[in-house]
């Protein structure tokens, strides 16, 4: 269903089917953009096209254009609300497994049948009397059934005058299979007892006794394995939205007719009043009509200090009530809430971020036409010199067969498997090969503050005492009183005090003063802990040195808490979101990789600048809302920068998806982790530098693998064209290039994280 945007235009999101690589997405995008009044972006990873078009254009015309290009298109089905008691439809996970199942079946078939074929071709001892016919029986299903996606994609590419890795695989495997059929039925290869001996002689032959079935079966199995592992990582593209929407409360206690009724959050209506107890998530956006509390909104806004709310204040769905009981009146529900709007931001960012085209496809686009031209040239040359039809076809087909490299199928998956495996050992999770393409180009790294550069939790930083007051006494008395409060800042004081003085005493009396602090009796002392205003109400003024310490702390964006007992102001406590000990070192390492760090936060400017100065960041962008984070990333990209983004909260998810490279802290929310391209399990910012180093090294390995995979074959092409290629040389070249690629990939196991 299309949605109107500006006057005279509409927007639709189409689900695209049949794409096998990023060049397919580029082809569809090009065709759509050629239509008058149409602007489209197609994303291979999410398999969606986001199209803005003039209102007089029919969506059916857009779908017809995509189908004419050789792919399928459809508008996503609207979500259905199931009737009570109706069975639930398949989950997203089940649908993803259903889509992967055919690919997995083809892979299992190819591997099971290709292994004995390769073994018989390479080990003369296994070449029993009719081994060649057994090889044919096993290879036929591999080439026809398992390799069908490659043939289909090659045909689609051919219709549009394009060539990709699919074309190379299809042409090579079909050529090898058809030549083997000819040699078996019309040549001498079908003779009982025929063997492929280990003869490394370069001599011209008519090819009638040569079969290449192991090449057809092996290439198909290797490349299907790579595609399967890639498809498994690609299917997670929509998981960020699912994780984001699961953050909200599932059930809510609504007040109806003076009664408390628990209902699903989806049933909330604007105007409903609902109850939020301490520790519960706020169900939807609304206004407080009863009670006061501290709300932890850091997950959504990035604000490290809990927000004090009371009657008349607005609250946001999915934030956490950290203090007292609240009654909230719903003002926005469903798709109007801030959480839903953030989900839309993430979806838009993902759809707009095109996956990098496979390096192998880019090489194939040039290599395939050259090889086909060389094969035709070889055929023409041998026919022209009067060598006979058999010899001419032998040389031409040998060119096609040797051009289809087994190693090409191993080049990316082996490096990726070893690289990602090593990354997992170091706490770095890499999602897929497209991720690696972008790490090479990244020159700017945008860092969220709360939970990324800082710990993300309030911590007691410093204690300022009045003359004659012992710091231990301050911590013992203030910590004891704050321990009885549920407020996050109070808990920070209590935790910090307990760490320094040990077991805290139990207050004889305790009272919470909403919005101001706490008071009570501890060890016979009448103690006040809270804002300066609380002390003013008891006519206790802060001494000049404590007043100065409080002002300095607040200018730096920290929270200052006054402590008094027995009628006298005794101390000021500084509480803040502390910088992680490893963050300054992490910034130095990122700079050493050629990256410019930028601190981006929803927190106030004073706090942001203080943190930036502490860790060594020069550029700060503060007080930004989640949607503004996306705009900041877009602006940097528009300025020609390649942007990496590191974050951990829901408020970072859209920016992580928009960035060229998204790095999510594994200690953060599921939404951020799913939106990112790399996940840093440890929550240590130094891992970001290690992740980029490992990704670049893995990409370098893939590139060298691809170079050698093609180099061996290119070197053998002149021999094939000259009709001098015998099966053992062809097999040895393929085997050696494959072993080299695997060995080169295994070097990644030696990658070490920088010294801690």
């Amino acid at each position: 269903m299309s949605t109107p945007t500006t006057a005279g235009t509409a927007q639709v999101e189409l689900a695209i089917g049949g794409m096998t690589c990023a060049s397919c997405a580029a082809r569809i995008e090009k065709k759509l953009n050629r239509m008058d009044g149409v602007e489209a972006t197609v994303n291979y990873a999410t398999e969606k096209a986001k199209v803005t078009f003039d209102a007089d254009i029919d969506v059916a015309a857009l779908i017809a254009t995509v189908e004419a290009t050789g792919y399928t298109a459809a508008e996503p089905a609207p979500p259905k609300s199931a009737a009570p008691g109706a069975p639930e439809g398949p989950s997203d996970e089940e649908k993803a497994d259903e889509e992967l199942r055919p690919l997995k079946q083809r892979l299992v078939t190819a591997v099971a049948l290709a292994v004995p074929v390769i073994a018989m071709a390479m080990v003369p001892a296994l070449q029993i009397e009719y081994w060649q016919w057994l090889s044919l029986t096993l290879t036929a299903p591999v080439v026809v059934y398992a390799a069908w996606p490659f043939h289909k994609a090659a045909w689609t590419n051919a219709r549009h005058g394009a060539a990709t890795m699919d074309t190379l695989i299809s042409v090579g495997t079909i050529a090898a299979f058809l030549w083997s059929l000819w040699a078996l039925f019309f040549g001498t290869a079908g003779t009982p007892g025929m063997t492929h001996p280990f003869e490394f002689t370069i001599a011209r032959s008519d090819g009638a006794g040569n079969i290449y079935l192991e090449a057809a079966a092996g290439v198909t199995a290797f490349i299907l394995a790579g595609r399967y592992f890639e498809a498994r990582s690609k299917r997670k593209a929509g998981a960020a939205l699912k994780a984001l929407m699961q953050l909200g409360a599932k059930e809510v206690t609504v007040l109806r007719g003076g009664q408390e009724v628990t209902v699903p959050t989806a049933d909330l209506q604007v105007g409903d009043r609902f109850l939020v107890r301490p520790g519960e998530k706020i169900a939807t956006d609304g206004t407080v009509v009863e009670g006061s509390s501290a709300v932890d909104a850091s997950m959504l806004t990035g604000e490290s200090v809990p927000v004090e709310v009371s009657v008349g204040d607005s609250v946001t769905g999915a934030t956490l009530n950290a203090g007292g009981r609240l009654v909230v009146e719903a003002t926005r529900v469903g798709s109007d809430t801030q959480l839903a709007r953030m989900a839309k931001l993430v979806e838009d960012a993902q759809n707009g971020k095109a996956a990098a085209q496979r390096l192998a496809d880019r090489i194939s686009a040039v290599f395939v036409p050259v090889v086909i031209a060389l094969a035709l040239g070889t055929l023409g040359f041998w026919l022209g010199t009067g060598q006979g039809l058999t010899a001419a076809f032998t040389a031409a087909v040998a060119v096609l067969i040797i051009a289809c490299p087994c190693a090409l199928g191993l080049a990316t998956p082996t490096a990726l498997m070893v690289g990602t495996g090593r990354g997992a050992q170091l706490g770095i999770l890499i999602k897929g090969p497209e991720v690696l393409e972008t790490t090479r180009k990244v020159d700017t790294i945008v860092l969220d503050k709360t939970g990324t550069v800082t710990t993300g939790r309030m911590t007691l930083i410093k204690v300022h005492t009045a003359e004659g007051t012992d710091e231990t006494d301050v911590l013992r008395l203030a910590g004891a009183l704050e321990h009885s409060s549920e407020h996050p800042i109070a808990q920070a004081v209590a935790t910090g005090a307990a760490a320094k003085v040990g077991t805290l005493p139990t207050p004889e009396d305790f009272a919470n003063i909403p919005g101001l602090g706490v008071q009570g009796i501890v060890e016979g002392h009448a103690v006040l802990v809270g804002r300066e205003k609380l002390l003013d109400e008891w006519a206790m003024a802060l001494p000049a040195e404590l007043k100065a310490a409080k002002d300095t702390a607040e200018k730096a964006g920290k929270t200052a808490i006054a402590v008094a007992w027995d009628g006298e102001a005794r101390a000021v406590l500084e509480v803040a979101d502390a910088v992680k000990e490893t963050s300054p070192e992490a910034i130095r390492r990122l700079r050493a990789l050629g990256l410019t760090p930028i601190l981006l936060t929803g927190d106030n400017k004073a706090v942001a600048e203080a943190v930036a100065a502490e860790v060594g960041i020069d550029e700060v962008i503060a007080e930004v809302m989640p949607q503004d984070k996306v705009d900041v990333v877009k602006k940097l990209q528009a300025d020609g920068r390649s942007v990496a983004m590191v974050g951990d909260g829901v408020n970072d998810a859209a920016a992580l998806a928009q960035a060229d490279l998204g790095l999510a802290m594994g200690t953060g929310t599921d939404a951020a982790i799913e939106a990112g391209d790399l996940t840093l399990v440890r929550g240590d910012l130094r891992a970001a530098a290690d992740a980029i180093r490992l990704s670049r090294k893995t990409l370098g390995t893939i590139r060298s693998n691809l170079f050698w995979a093609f180099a061996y074959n290119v070197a053998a092409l002149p021999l094939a064209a000259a009709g001098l290629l015998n099966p053992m040389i062809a097999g040895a070249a393929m085997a050696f290039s494959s072993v080299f690629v695997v060995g080169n990939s295994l070097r990644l196991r030696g990658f070490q994280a920088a010294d801690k």
Side-chain angles (χ1 to χ4, degrees):
M1 184 173 167
S2 59
T3 54
T5 52
T6 56
T9 66
Q11 198 173 80
V12 70
E13 196 176 75
L14 300 175
I16 306 293
M19 293 190 292
T20 58
C21 61
S23 56
C24 297
R27 194 175 303 133
I28 298 166
E29 193 172 293
K30 192 174 177 183
K31 287 279 187 183
L32 286 170
N33 284 327
R34 278 183 182 168
M35 297 174 69
D36 290 334
V38 173
E39 193 176 312
T41 55
V42 181
N43 188 301
Y44 167 58
T46 59
E47 296 184 329
K48 287 180 181 176
K50 187 179 175 184
V51 189
T52 304
F53 55 97
D54 290 344
D56 57 348
I57 297 175
D58 189 8
V59 175
L62 301 173
I63 292 173
T65 299
V66 175
E67 289 175 344
T69 314
Y71 305 90
T72 64
E75 290 188 70
K80 297 176 183 176
S81 52
E88 291 185 11
S91 67
D92 292 342
E93 193 75 19
E94 287 168 341
K95 286 178 186 172
D97 288 340
E98 195 65 38
E99 289 170 11
L100 270 179
R101 193 168 291 124
L103 182 56
K104 187 176 181 179
Q105 288 170 344
R106 292 181 198 277
L107 171 61
V108 170
T109 302
V111 171
L113 299 179
V115 168
V117 172
I118 295 169
M120 284 188 287
M122 293 297 163
V123 183
L126 297 177
Q127 293 172 5
I128 56 177
E129 190 171 5
Y130 291 100
W131 73 274
Q132 68 272 49
W133 295 101
L134 177 58
S135 291
L136 175 65
T137 306
L138 295 173
T139 303
V142 177
V143 173
V144 177
Y145 165 70
W148 175 247
F150 305 131
H151 305 321
K152 186 179 176 185
W155 173 244
T156 302
N157 291 330
R159 282 170 51 208
H160 296 93
T164 66
M165 187 173 162
D166 291 312
T167 311
L168 185 58
I169 298 159
S170 181
V171 169
T173 52
I174 289 174
F177 186 70
L178 291 180
W179 182 261
S180 301
L181 277 182
W182 182 87
L184 285 167
F185 285 99
F186 303 105
T188 58
T191 307
M194 185 277 288
T195 60
H196 274 177
F198 278 106
E199 290 179 359
F200 290 96
T201 55
I202 296 177
R204 189 167 296 152
S205 77
D206 64 3
N210 300 342
I211 60 172
Y212 297 93
L213 294 170
E214 76 284 357
V219 167
T220 302
F222 282 142
I223 293 177
L224 274 175
R227 292 286 171 90
Y228 175 71
F229 291 119
E230 189 177 333
R232 277 183 63 186
S233 67
K234 194 184 81 169
R235 78 177 192 181
K236 291 183 177 287
L241 303 180
K242 187 179 173 188
L244 200 52
M245 298 317 294
Q246 285 178 340
L247 284 169
K250 305 297 181 289
E251 291 186 330
V252 57
T253 303
V254 181
L255 302 176
R256 288 182 179 159
Q259 298 292 315
E260 294 182 5
V261 183
T262 302
V263 299
T265 303
D267 293 348
L268 267 180
Q269 303 292 322
V270 173
D272 278 350
R273 293 192 172 194
F274 59 92
L275 179 65
V276 190
R277 298 180 181 88
E280 288 184 344
K281 286 181 179 176
I282 295 170
T284 193
D285 299 359
T287 305
V288 177
V289 293
E290 188 182 314
S292 64
S293 181
V295 173
D296 180 359
S298 60
M299 182 181 66
L300 280 174
T301 65
E303 182 71 48
S304 55
V305 180
V307 181
E308 300 286 347
V309 296
S310 56
V311 175
D313 290 332
S314 295
V315 289
T316 306
T319 55
L320 188 69
N321 177 16
R325 176 184 184 275
L326 295 174
V327 176
V328 179
E329 184 174 305
T331 54
R332 287 197 294 257
V333 296
S335 60
D336 290 334
T337 63
Q338 186 174 338
L339 185 65
R341 289 202 297 270
M342 289 173 72
K344 187 74 173 73
L345 281 173
V346 173
E347 187 170 26
D348 289 347
Q350 284 188 329
N351 286 345
K353 180 171 146 186
Q357 187 182 4
R358 280 192 201 92
L359 184 59
D361 280 330
R362 295 206 296 274
I363 298 170
S364 299
V366 177
F367 187 68
V368 174
V370 168
V371 166
I372 291 173
L374 182 60
L376 291 172
T378 301
L379 179 67
F381 173 80
W382 286 110
L383 288 175
T385 55
Q387 293 296 319
L389 195 62
T390 302
F393 267 103
T394 298
V397 172
V399 168
L400 293 177
I401 292 167
I402 199 63
C404 186
C406 283
L408 186 63
L410 289 168
T412 298
T414 53
L416 194 64
M417 248 180 275
V418 179
T420 52
R422 183 62 186 142
Q425 290 174 340
L426 299 172
I428 301 161
L429 307 181
I430 303 171
K431 281 196 179 172
E434 290 88 359
V435 172
L436 304 174
E437 294 277 353
T438 54
T439 58
R440 178 178 53 88
K441 299 176 286 185
V442 166
D443 54 31
T444 302
I445 186 158
V446 176
L447 303 160
D448 167 54
K449 181 186 74 69
T450 310
T452 302
V453 176
T454 65
T455 60
R457 60 182 182 275
M458 303 305 286
T459 307
L460 179 61
I461 303 289
K462 201 168 186 181
V463 180
H464 301 274
T465 57
E467 192 175 343
T469 303
D470 183 53
E471 183 178 314
T472 304
D473 292 338
V474 173
L475 292 172
R476 193 175 68 257
L477 298 176
L481 208 55
E482 294 283 53
H483 187 65
S484 300
S485 171
E486 293 174 332
H487 197 289
I489 292 177
Q491 287 299 305
V493 172
T495 303
K500 289 188 177 180
V501 302
T503 307
L504 299 171
T506 304
E508 292 108 64
D509 184 37
F510 171 84
N512 182 47
I513 299 101
L516 291 179
V518 292
Q519 65 185 47
I521 309 293
V522 183
E523 295 182 340
H525 301 284
V527 184
L528 298 174
V529 184
R531 297 188 178 186
E532 186 181 7
K533 190 178 175 185
L534 177 63
L535 273 65
D536 290 342
E537 288 186 1
W538 289 82
M540 296 182 210
L542 287 173
E545 68 272 20
L546 292 185
K547 178 76 173 170
K550 171 186 169 292
D551 292 343
T552 303
E554 288 178 342
K555 278 178 186 170
K558 296 170 183 171
T559 302
I561 302 161
V563 181
W565 67 81
D566 296 345
E568 194 177 328
R570 309 275 184 164
V572 166
L573 309 178
E574 281 187 30
V575 173
D577 180 9
V579 169
K580 291 178 182 176
E581 289 180 5
T582 57
S583 291
E585 173 62 21
I587 300 302
R588 284 194 291 276
R589 291 184 189 178
L590 291 168
R591 284 189 188 278
L593 289 169
L595 305 176
T596 302
I598 297 173
L599 190 67
L600 178 66
T601 179
D603 226 334
N604 71 63
K605 196 168 184 182
V607 175
E609 288 181 342
V611 169
E614 191 173 338
V615 298
I617 297 175
D618 302 323
E619 196 173 340
V620 177
I621 303 170
E623 298 173 15
V624 289
M625 295 301 289
Q627 58 270 31
D628 298 327
K629 287 193 173 188
V630 179
D631 293 338
V632 167
V633 172
K634 284 181 178 175
K635 185 176 183 303
L636 289 168
Q637 289 169 328
D639 291 342
R641 299 207 209 180
S642 183
V643 181
M645 166 85 191
V646 189
D648 74 322
V650 177
N651 60 312
D652 303 314
L656 286 168
Q658 176 64 42
D660 299 290
L661 180 69
L663 296 97
M665 305 299 275
T667 49
T669 62
D670 288 347
I673 291 167
E674 294 297 351
D677 302 307
L678 294 164
T679 300
L680 313 176
V681 175
R682 297 199 307 270
D684 182 342
L685 192 55
R686 291 178 301 181
D690 288 334
I692 291 172
R693 278 178 52 239
L694 175 61
S695 296
R696 287 179 176 176
K697 196 167 180 64
T698 305
L699 178 63
T701 302
I702 289 173
R703 286 170 173 273
S704 62
N705 281 352
L706 288 170
F707 171 79
W708 287 108
F710 279 102
Y712 282 114
N713 297 85
V714 168
L717 281 175
L719 292 175
L724 299 174
L725 197 67
N726 75 36
M728 285 316 299
I729 290 179
M734 285 192 176
F736 185 63
S737 62
S738 297
V739 169
F740 179 89
V741 159
V742 172
N744 192 37
S745 298
L746 288 173
R747 291 190 308 124
L748 285 168
R749 290 167 64 182
F751 177 88
Q752 295 294 328
D755 291 334
K756 301 210 170 25

